[in-house]
Amino acid sequence: MSDWVTAKLKDVAKVVTGKTPQTSNSEYYGGDIPFVSPADLNEGILSETKTYLTSSGADQVYRVPKNTVLVSCIGNLGKLAITAKEVCFNQQINGLIFDEQKIFPKYGFYFAQTIKPQLEKASSSTTLPIVNKSRFSDLEIKYPPLSEQRRIASILDQADELRQKRQQAIEKLDQLLQATFIDMFGDPVSNPKGFEVKKLSEQVDLIQIGPFGTQLHQEDYIENGIPLINPSHIKNGKIIPNHKLTVSQSKYEELTQYHLRLNDVLLGRRGEMGRCAVVTQNEVGWLCGTGSLFLRLNVEKINPFFLEMLLSSDSIKRYLENVSQGQTMANLNKTIVGSIPLIAPSIEIQNKFFLIAEKIDKMKTELKSAKNQVNNLFESLQNQAFNGTSFENLRYKDSL
């Protein structure tokens, strides 16, 4: 690493902090110039955004060129992307326009993926992490000669492409599951196949809202106790607990009516509608949280995984958004949930769908395992690249 250089970001790049045009001025929005917020940062090459500016709107802020590295410096520190075209961006983001006589932009992008620890250390707040332009500019980057930077970037490009292919395959399987559901059952609200429709309360044995706030206080929460499942712990149809948000055995025993059983369907009743998951053997005995409810059903009448697909479908989500209560946050109660009109095909066709879904889920599990292996490879290559250790003689295919 004798020919490697350590420098501050401001010494190798122009650092630009974003800005938002006046949102009340309609003349600034609706054009064709991408306006980036942290939610748009995709950890890769960025060309599309949710919001676009007109030329007059872009003139109010900063335009940065293709190959600018954008880094979130407020909130979700370190989330990033590299631009595929000219863009503007908001004040939560700092942009790095690298001096290409010193830094190959794609090398700078891959290096920026490793600076999150530096960002966290430089953050001036614990509640909402913030790294201002001055502190961001003083962060350090290590780099070799440009020819070596290009070689490193090329190797990481190959590994990253493989990562993306694995992710795309997983997304294709999700699409296949959705397409199979629609092919077998049609849209669950418009019901083009003419299935019988019943209220949810007619199709389940119990609808149980989680404990009231008076039953569960902040001081009742402990670490590494019995998991408590709120909506934030239901992700993509899976239950993922926070082991810092659990209860003691004694508190758990006070709340017996909220204990989860095999094949219960958990549904978030606050915030984002349609968050739901089936309780598997792994989650039996955990606790339904205040922000959730669970549905207890007879599996001889309704398949829990079919019910999960119904409740998480776009059509039912829209229905729930329309009937939910609460001005600041969507909220469901027992009456609203019990009144949801759901198609009721025969248990035989529901179980047939479940067998197909099981096969697709198995393929997804295998792909996720392969993706994790590629992620580990990518991180290993990154560590070697930016530490400079044993990377000089490494080629991508040697790592496979």
Side-chain angles (χ1 to χ4, degrees), residues 4 104-111 142-144 149 152-153 386:
W4 282 57
F104 180 58
K106 206 63 183 295
Y107 173 89
F109 165 71
Y110 284 125
F111 184 86
K142 298 177 182 177
Y143 60 96
Q149 290 181 42
I152 289 171
F386 301 125

Side-chain angles (χ1 to χ4, degrees), residues 107-355:
Y107 173 89
F109 165 71
Y110 284 125
F111 184 86
Q113 290 182 343
T114 71
I115 66 172
K116 188 172 183 178
Q118 287 193 66
L119 288 168
E120 290 173 343
K121 188 175 180 180
S123 171
S124 60
S125 171
T126 54
T127 52
L128 180 65
I130 297 174
V131 178
N132 63 27
K133 180 180 176 181
S134 175
R135 291 184 178 183
F136 181 74
S137 300
D138 284 337
L139 299 183
E140 292 186 339
I141 179 171
K142 298 177 182 177
Y143 60 96
L146 281 168
S147 58
E148 180 65 4
Q149 290 181 42
R150 290 189 177 92
R151 191 177 79 88
I152 289 171
S154 175
I155 292 171
L156 292 176
D157 276 343
Q158 293 175 68
D160 192 46
E161 182 181 2
L162 189 54
R163 285 200 308 176
Q164 292 176 27
K165 286 180 177 178
R166 293 287 187 270
Q167 182 58 37
Q168 289 165 5
I170 292 168
E171 291 169 0
K172 290 288 185 185
L173 286 175
D174 285 333
Q175 294 167 15
L176 175 61
L177 182 62
Q178 294 291 335
T180 302
F181 181 85
I182 292 298
D183 182 60
M184 293 178 69
F185 305 106
D187 181 271
V189 172
S190 62
N191 190 20
K193 295 184 180 289
F195 291 113
E196 182 182 3
V197 176
K198 297 180 181 179
K199 290 181 180 180
L200 178 59
S201 59
E202 299 176 282
Q203 301 193 53
V204 301
D205 294 337
L206 174 68
I207 301 173
Q208 178 63 62
I209 298 252
F212 294 111
T214 53
Q215 295 172 284
L216 198 58
H217 303 94
Q218 188 65 38
E219 57 268 24
D220 293 320
Y221 299 130
I222 64 169
E223 289 189 26
N224 300 317
I226 297 165
L228 180 85
I229 308 303
N230 278 317
S232 61
H233 309 131
I234 304 171
K235 300 175 183 177
N236 300 319
K238 303 294 182 185
I239 299 171
I240 303 174
N242 177 352
H243 291 287
K244 293 184 177 180
L245 190 70
T246 62
V247 297
S248 66
Q249 184 67 36
S250 59
K251 174 53 68 173
Y252 174 77
E253 290 171 359
E254 292 176 18
L255 302 170
T256 54
Q257 69 188 101
Y258 308 108
H259 294 185
L260 298 173
R261 298 182 189 174
L262 184 66
N263 291 322
D264 284 349
V265 176
L266 263 171
L267 177 66
R269 66 184 190 89
R270 294 177 181 167
E272 180 188 341
M273 295 290 97
R275 283 196 184 202
C276 58
V278 177
V279 175
T280 67
Q281 195 64 54
N282 186 57
E283 299 93 30
V284 168
W286 290 2
L287 199 65
C288 178
T290 302
S292 303
L293 60 82
F294 64 85
L295 309 167
R296 187 151 292 157
L297 43 141
N298 184 336
V299 295
E300 294 181 1
K301 295 181 180 179
I302 185 168
N303 186 292
F305 293 92
F306 169 73
L307 180 57
E308 178 205 333
M309 285 294 293
L310 277 181
L311 294 174
S312 61
S313 68
D314 289 339
S315 294
I316 298 298
K317 282 182 182 179
R318 286 193 293 270
Y319 170 85
L320 293 174
E321 286 165 359
N322 289 333
V323 300
S324 61
Q325 298 178 342
Q327 294 183 346
T328 56
M329 180 183 290
N331 204 314
L332 300 176
N333 59 36
K334 189 173 179 178
T335 301
I336 292 173
V337 172
S339 300
I340 300 172
L342 296 177
I343 57 174
S346 68
I347 188 65
E348 289 77 18
I349 191 172
Q350 292 181 40
N351 289 339
K352 182 180 179 182
F353 170 75
F354 169 65
L355 291 175

Side-chain angles (χ1 to χ4, degrees), residues 38 377 390:
L377 164 64
S390 73

